[in-house]
Amino acid sequence: MARPRQHTPEALHAQAMAVCDAWLQEKPVHAFSLRAVAREVGCAPSTLLKLYGSFGNLLQHVNIETLARLRMVIEPLTQGGETEEQMRDLALAYWQFAQQEPYRWQLLFDYPLAQEGELDQRQNEMIEALFLRIENGLKAYQPALGDLEARRLGRTLWGSVHGLVQLGLSERLGYWQGQQLEVPELLDQLLLTILAGLKHRPDIA
């Protein structure tokens, strides 16, 4: 086992993120600890504290990795194609990502994000970039949509998508004629309804 002094900051960070990734593939974060990460990396907990400042900051770096993974899933879906198809693909990808990474997903939304400093700035920039893709899609679909309204509508739309995803993960969407309601079908209905209303709104026609 390597001694703490043999870990460069970059190598230590990479190893810590790999340990967190392996843990979150199997288990939720609430049973995790700084000591557990240090044990798996092969260093003292104080070494991780020196690098991150706190276990909370280490988890914020995990959240940054999660946002980066989500960006890698979403970016290819925003290149070309009809807006309706793009939005449906994005919503479905969002749902599939949450299904495939449930514990990362839980950490991202259940654990408070950074409130200040570089971590806060990096997280905000990544979140804004994701929202911007939604806003640009809405403005392409309805060119008369102003920047402020596109900003509000993008968050309203994606907040609704997120709500369906969360309810789907917890299996709280209910049943119809003995069959559980499926998230993809509900996402389709949501997007078709909102986009149809946006296309035919008389106030921005």
Side-chain angles (χ1 to χ4, degrees):
M1 181 182 294
R3 296 180 179 179
R5 69 171 183 271
Q6 295 176 304
H7 293 81
T8 66
E10 295 79 12
L12 184 62
H13 175 67
Q15 291 173 1
M17 292 299 100
V19 167
C20 292
D21 184 51
W23 178 280
L24 293 171
Q25 292 293 325
E26 305 277 340
K27 293 165 280 191
V29 72
H30 62 72
F32 210 19
S33 68
L34 184 76
R35 188 173 298 277
V37 180
R39 183 173 58 249
E40 292 298 321
V41 170
C43 69
S46 59
T47 304
L48 293 179
L49 283 175
K50 183 177 180 181
L51 180 64
Y52 294 107
S54 68
F55 183 52
N57 282 344
L58 185 154
L59 294 180
Q60 298 299 350
H61 282 279
V62 177
N63 280 336
I64 286 174
E65 282 209 344
T66 301
L67 289 168
R69 292 185 183 194
L70 184 58
R71 181 182 61 203
M72 289 177 64
V73 169
I74 285 177
E75 277 187 347
L77 303 176
T78 61
Q79 309 301 317
E82 295 295 327
T83 300
E84 299 98 318
E85 184 180 355
Q86 275 190 23
M87 290 294 180
R88 292 170 73 179
D89 288 347
L90 287 172
L92 185 59
Y94 198 69
W95 163 238
Q96 291 171 340
F97 183 88
Q99 284 184 300
Q100 293 162 5
E101 301 271 9
Y103 297 125
R104 273 186 172 273
W105 187 262
Q106 183 183 51
L107 172 61
L108 182 62
F109 290 104
D110 289 357
Y111 192 85
L113 292 174
Q115 299 297 312
E116 59 184 5
E118 181 193 1
L119 285 171
D120 175 48
Q121 182 178 349
R122 289 176 66 187
Q123 288 175 347
N124 279 334
E125 287 174 353
M126 296 175 83
I127 291 168
E128 285 298 314
L130 293 173
F131 273 126
L132 187 61
R133 287 169 171 80
I134 308 303
E135 294 168 26
N136 287 341
L138 292 172
K139 287 194 287 187
Y141 185 74
Q142 175 50 271
L145 198 63
D147 289 345
L148 177 58
E149 190 164 16
R151 188 176 181 84
R152 289 172 174 166
L153 183 57
R155 282 156 174 74
T156 299
L157 173 59
W158 219 252
S160 302
V161 169
H162 178 75
L164 289 174
V165 167
Q166 289 281 48
L167 290 171
L169 289 175
S170 58
E171 298 183 348
R172 284 178 166 79
L173 285 170
Y175 294 80
W176 172 252
Q177 296 182 344
Q179 298 295 317
Q180 185 169 331
L181 293 171
E182 297 291 336
V183 172
E185 285 77 10
L186 296 177
L187 291 174
D188 275 352
Q189 185 175 19
L190 169 70
L191 290 163
L192 289 172
T193 302
I194 288 181
L195 291 175
L198 180 60
K199 176 65 78 176
H200 300 292
R201 275 182 47 182
D203 59 312
I204 56 175

